[in-house]
């Protein structure tokens, strides 16, 4: 098991380095001169541009900029944002907790509701409830996030004044965005749990457990639900990636100062330092979560441990 | 099937409602209503300004949510405050600022040598008086001995000399550095190789004679210098506020200024900036104790917060909401003409656009009134010429080729020989999408049978595109003045020597008139030359004037004396909160 983890870790490191090259190339490959963007939406004389290019090393060859950036990375320095001149790590540390909070709450909401509804509807196949939940899942997948966001803002914030419309003034502020973001994942989680539960109900070990005379609740808890949750570990790993991109929209709508909003602005401002720093942070997080998901799967499913 | 669909619509809302409300009760004991924090933050102590003319609170169309907003935030202490939306500023260090969002904050924190009153006339700032020598080159500013920074330290002439050296320094790379170019020695500093230290190279023309006397020498006579010096980049900065990298970084987050307000804490990026009245400010004190800037990434979100009663001033409105907002808020919706021009420019040195008659014909085919009214719901004004008519001295009559006259357009187009191939490329560079361009394109197609291919570009991209000498066509762009003067339109846009003249336009008569305006004994004396120069440009028409800008925003009922100046700057220091 230890070897397996080390192997996966090396693989993740190699993927990360390759990703730095790709991200660097892509960021600098975008059309438009960052110096002009830094100067604002205004045409400025050449001297001003020259000073900006010197200040940000924009005239240096790309490989040189890449090596400087990698050198900085080893010292924990991701460079300085073009637009705000703040250290990228500072911006990241400001934004990360917001996004982590949002994503964590979203995951809790979608899994809590999804797993519960999935398990319940599996037990009542074909019932009205089952069909109704199926319909909500189809709808949840079909309606775009920004529509859901605008609707919940309008009802819960503007009309009923139950929750803050936007911002992060209290922990309550995270509820509407998390609910909005959870809509898609809710549908997937529900369907996943339902099909898993159904599949496990006729498994031999479940039949054996029943034959041994275990109570139905113990069978469900120990043999069906536990096994049905194994794929959820993989689901969380993948879902975090999906949520991270979904959060760009949600953070903008709800004015959360998280990673998504910063990245969206960085791209529109051609803030390469910020784009690269943030993209790499997201990739690193993703690789790490993926790794943890694998380890968690090993812990949950002893059969996998034999595979070397 | 029918039933399932309806059920499907109902359930997600229920699920969301259930999950939200359950979490809500567990995570926070306070009621959601109380989190509508500052809401109207009305306060009994606020000096009620009776001269409030800009906004009227009388609004018959008040909806229930507004009433709530006004009554909700019961005053809990004696501090008056209000909240206003901005987008994340590029900088609040005056040296690094180049846009209005940052300026909104900086104007409260800092005072320049000379200031602009709400009508944009030049008035004393830190300098109590100023004069230019007989040579028209050397300006002497007498500084008020009462001027102090918010930490109590006196503002001296050296603080200006240092701020200027810093803004000119290539190590600092100030985005608006070019503003200082009329000052003698500025170009030598900004054009030099970076030394590694910021502000180490003084600008030759700027001299601190003593603590309270500053002289500024210009390269050539320049009557408009005081107006240029109102730009936020020319705010005073004491050298030891920024003499180490760490201090400079802290200054960028929480600048120490000499204005009517000071920072209440560091800038919370993407969240907000709060300022409070500075006790050390010797000028007219700010009316409200504390002002909270809330940072929004979307205008639509700010507007929702305003509708929910959680924001007092929403600057900007989502275009699709403007009509409704006009009806709902009446007088509390503010539309202020600003110094902004949207236009379609021509490369006047490229055929067939080198023919003034072609340019005039294309301009006569544009129905500006219809565009401003129907496409932009009157949130823009039809342009009457190349300088917004609210700029002092600007021509207020509609220029000859700025009317909509299809007959004349057609005749002129034909007599000028038309455009070869009847097809052009139009570059769309502005932010506003193509809403304003479509009627123009349709009109050209109808009248001239002209085939228009639109290519959308980011501004930075377009500049590269044209700089590379590739084939060019007309382009949609805008211009906003740097300081409120006709000169700030005419010189950068049209002078043959200007770095940012994109039209390839050169007219010696025009250049001569601008030179006369610069060398006039004062700005007023130079004005007639600028007016004449405007007439020349409008005859040559290197661009098709489209619309003049307007600033738009809504304010809560608790606000009084709300004023937006034609520079699109909300005069927040004047706003009161009704008790």
């Amino acid at each position: 098991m230890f070897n397996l983890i080390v192997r996966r870790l090396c693989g993740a490191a190699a993927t990360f380095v390759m990703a730095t090259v790709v991200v660097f190339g892509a960021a600098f490959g975008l059309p438009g001169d960052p110096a002009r963007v830094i100067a604002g939406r205004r045409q400025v004389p050449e001297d001003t541009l020259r000073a900006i290019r010197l200040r940000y090393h924009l005239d240096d060859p790309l490989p040189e900029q890449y090596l400087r950036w990698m050198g900085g990375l080893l010292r924990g320095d991701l460079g300085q944002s073009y637009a705000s001149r703040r250290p990228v790590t500072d911006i990241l540390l400001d934004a990360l907790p917001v996004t982590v909070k949002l994503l964590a709450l979203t995951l809790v909401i979608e899994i809590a509701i999804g797993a519960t509804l999935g398990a319940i509807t599996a037990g009542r196949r074909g019932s009205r409830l089952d069909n109704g939940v199926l319909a909500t899942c189809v709808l949840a997948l079909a309606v775009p996030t920004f529509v859901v966001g605008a609707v919940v803002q309008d009802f819960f914030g503007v009309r009923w004044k139950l929750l803050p419309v936007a911002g992060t003034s209290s922990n309550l502020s995270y509820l509407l965005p998390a609910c909005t973001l959870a809509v898609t994942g809710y549908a997937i989680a529900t369907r996943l749990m339902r099909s898993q539960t159904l599949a496990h109900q006729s498994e031999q070990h479940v039949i054996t457990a029943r034959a041994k005379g275990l109570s139905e609740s113990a069978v469900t808890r120990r043999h069906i639900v536990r096994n049905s949750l194994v794929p959820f570990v993989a689901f969380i790993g993948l879902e975090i990636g999906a949520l991270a991109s979904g959060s760009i929209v949600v953070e903008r709508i709800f004015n959360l100062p998280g990673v998504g909003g910063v990245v969206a602005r960085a791209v529109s401002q051609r803030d390469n330092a910020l784009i690269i720093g943030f993209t790499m942070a997201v990739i690193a997080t993703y690789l790490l979560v993926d790794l943890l998901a694998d380890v968690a799967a090993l812990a949950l499913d002893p059969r996998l441990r034999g595979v070397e | 099937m029918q039933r399932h669909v309806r059920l499907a619509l109902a359930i997600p809302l229920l699920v969301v409602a259930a999950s939200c409300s359950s979490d809500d009760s567990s995570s926070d004991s306070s009621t959601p209503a109380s989190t509508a924090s500052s809401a109207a933050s009305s306060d009994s102590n606020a000096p009620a300004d009776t001269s409030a003319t800009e906004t009227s609170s009388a609004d018959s169309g008040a909806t229930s949510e507004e009433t709530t907003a006004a009554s909700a935030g019961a005053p809990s202490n004696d501090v008056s405050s209000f909240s206003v939306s901005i987008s994340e500023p590029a900088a609040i260090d005056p040296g690094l600022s180049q846009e209005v969002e940052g300026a909104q904050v900086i104007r409260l924190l800092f005072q320049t040598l000379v200031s602009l009153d709400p009508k944009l006339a030049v008035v004393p700032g830190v300098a109590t008086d100023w004069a230019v020598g007989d040579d028209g080159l050397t300006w002497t500013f007498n500084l008020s001995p009462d001027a102090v920074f918010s930490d109590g330290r006196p503002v001296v002439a050296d603080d200006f000399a240092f701020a200027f050296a810093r803004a000119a320094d290539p190590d600092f790379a100030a985005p608006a550095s070019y503003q200082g170019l009329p000052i003698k020695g500025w170009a030598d500093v900004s054009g030099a190789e970076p030394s590694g230290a910021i502000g180490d190279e003084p600008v030759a023309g700027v001299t601190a004679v003593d603590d309270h006397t500053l002289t500024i020498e210009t390269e050539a006579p320049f009557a408009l210098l005081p107006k240029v010096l109102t730009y936020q980049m020319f705010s005073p900065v004491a050298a030891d506020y920024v003499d180490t990298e760490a201090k400079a970084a802290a200054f960028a987050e929480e600048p120490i200024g000499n204005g009517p307000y000071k920072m209440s804490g560091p800038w919370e990026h993407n969240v907000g900036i709060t300022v409070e009245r500075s006790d050390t400010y010797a000028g007219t004190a700010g009316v409200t104790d504390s002002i909270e800037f809330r940072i929004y990434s979307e205008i639509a979100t700010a507007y929702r917060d305003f509708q929910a009663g959680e924001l007092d001033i929403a600057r900007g409105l989502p275009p699709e909401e403007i009509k409704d907002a006009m009806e709902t808020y009446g007088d509390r919706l503010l539309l202020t003409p600003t110094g902004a021009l949207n236009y379609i420019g021509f490369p006047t040195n490229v055929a067939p656009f080198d023919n003034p008659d072609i340019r005039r014909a294309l301009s006569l085919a544009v129905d500006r009134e219809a565009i401003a009214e129907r496409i932009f719901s009157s949130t823009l004004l039809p342009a009457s010429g190349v300088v917004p008519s609210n700029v002092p001295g600007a021509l207020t009559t509609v220029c000859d080729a700025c009317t909509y006259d299809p007959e004349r357009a057609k005749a002129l187009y034909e007599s000028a020989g038309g455009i070869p191939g009847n097809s052009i490329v139009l570059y769309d560079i502005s932010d506003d999408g193509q809403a304003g361009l479509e009627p123009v394109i349709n009109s050209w197609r109808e009248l001239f049978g002209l085939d228009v291919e639109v290519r959308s570009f980011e501004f930075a991209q377009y500049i590269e595109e044209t700089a590379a000498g590739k084939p060019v066509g007309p382009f949609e762009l805008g211009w906003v003045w740097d300081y409120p003067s006709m000169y700030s339109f005419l010189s950068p846009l049209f002078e043959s020597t200007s770095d940012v003249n994109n039209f390839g336009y050169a007219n010696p008569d025009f250049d001569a008139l601008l030179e006369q305006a610069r060398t006039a004994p004062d700005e007023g004396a130079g004005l007639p030359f600028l007016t004449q120069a405007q007439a020349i440009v409008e005859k040559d028409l290197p661009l098709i004037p489209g619309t003049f800008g307007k600033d738009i925003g809504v304010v809560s009922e608790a606000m009084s004396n709300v004023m937006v100046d034609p520079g699109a700057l909300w005069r927040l220091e004047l706003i009161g909160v009704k008790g």
Side-chain angles (χ1 to χ4, degrees), chain B residues 233-539:
Chain B
M233 190 183 71
F234 298 108
S235 302
V237 176
D240 46 305
Y241 289 158
V242 292
D243 58 4
T244 66
E245 217 165 292
K247 278 161 92 178
F251 185 82
E253 302 299 307
E254 194 176 354
I256 304 165
N258 62 331
Y261 286 84
K262 61 179 182 184
M263 298 288 284
S264 298
W267 176 2
E268 270 191 89
H269 287 275
N270 302 303
V271 177
I273 296 169
T274 307
V275 299
E276 61 195 55
R277 193 164 41 214
S278 165
D279 305 328
T280 63
Y281 182 64
T284 313
V287 175
T288 303
D289 295 328
S290 163
I291 300 172
E292 186 196 350
F293 293 95
R294 299 243 189 96
I295 300 172
Y296 289 89
S297 45
E298 292 277 337
I299 284 176
T301 312
Y303 182 59
R304 283 236 168 72
D305 249 353
F306 175 82
Q307 287 179 304
E310 294 188 25
L311 178 72
D312 292 312
I313 299 177
R315 292 168 58 244
L317 281 181
E320 65 277 9
E321 303 272 10
I322 288 170
K323 271 190 184 143
D324 272 354
M326 280 176 175
E327 279 172 29
T328 311
Y329 299 113
D331 285 349
R332 293 198 282 127
L333 183 144
L334 273 72
L335 271 169
T336 315
T338 60
L341 166 75
N342 303 304
Y343 64 82
I344 297 173
F346 294 106
T348 61
N349 42 10
V350 176
F353 308 109
D354 56 349
N355 183 343
D357 278 342
I358 289 288
R359 305 198 291 259
R360 284 179 204 128
L362 290 172
S363 176
L364 285 163
V366 177
D367 189 352
R368 295 162 184 80
E369 310 228 330
I371 293 173
E373 224 166 272
R374 283 181 224 143
I375 312 277
F376 295 105
S377 314
S378 298
T379 55
L380 295 174
L381 284 169
S384 56
V386 300
V387 181
S389 38
N390 62 337
V391 179
L395 294 164
T396 50
T397 49
V398 179
C399 94
D400 177 54
C402 303
T403 51
Y404 176 52
D405 190 342
E407 308 282 302
R408 220 180 113 204
K410 222 170 162 175
L412 203 57
Y413 186 80
E414 273 156 26
S415 72
I419 290 174
N422 258 358
S423 119
I424 57 168
V425 175
L426 180 60
Y427 294 86
D428 172 37
I429 314 166
S430 60
D431 281 330
D432 62 0
Q434 288 182 24
L437 273 184
E438 254 155 49
V440 176
I441 295 167
N442 289 340
S443 176
W444 287 350
R445 187 179 296 128
E446 256 169 53
L447 287 175
F448 315 129
L450 193 61
D451 193 26
V452 183
E453 183 201 335
V454 180
R455 288 192 200 152
S456 289
F457 277 98
E458 281 292 316
F459 179 70
Q461 240 179 315
Y462 167 77
I463 300 291
E464 277 161 41
E465 198 66 17
T466 51
K470 293 177 188 163
V472 290
F475 45 91
E476 190 199 17
L477 253 180
W479 184 258
V480 184
W481 64 28
D482 283 322
Y483 43 93
S485 160
M486 290 179 76
Y487 185 82
S488 190
F489 276 90
L490 298 175
S491 167
L493 284 176
F494 306 115
E495 240 185 316
S496 61
T497 50
S498 162
D499 274 324
V500 299
N501 173 346
N502 293 327
F503 314 107
Y505 175 70
N507 183 327
D509 296 340
F510 174 88
D511 287 358
L513 282 164
L514 259 75
E515 182 60 25
Q516 279 178 284
R518 272 191 291 268
T519 50
D522 60 52
E523 194 196 340
L527 218 48
F529 301 115
L530 294 175
T531 312
Q532 286 175 49
Q534 182 188 352
I536 291 183
V537 175
E538 289 180 355
K539 202 164 136 278

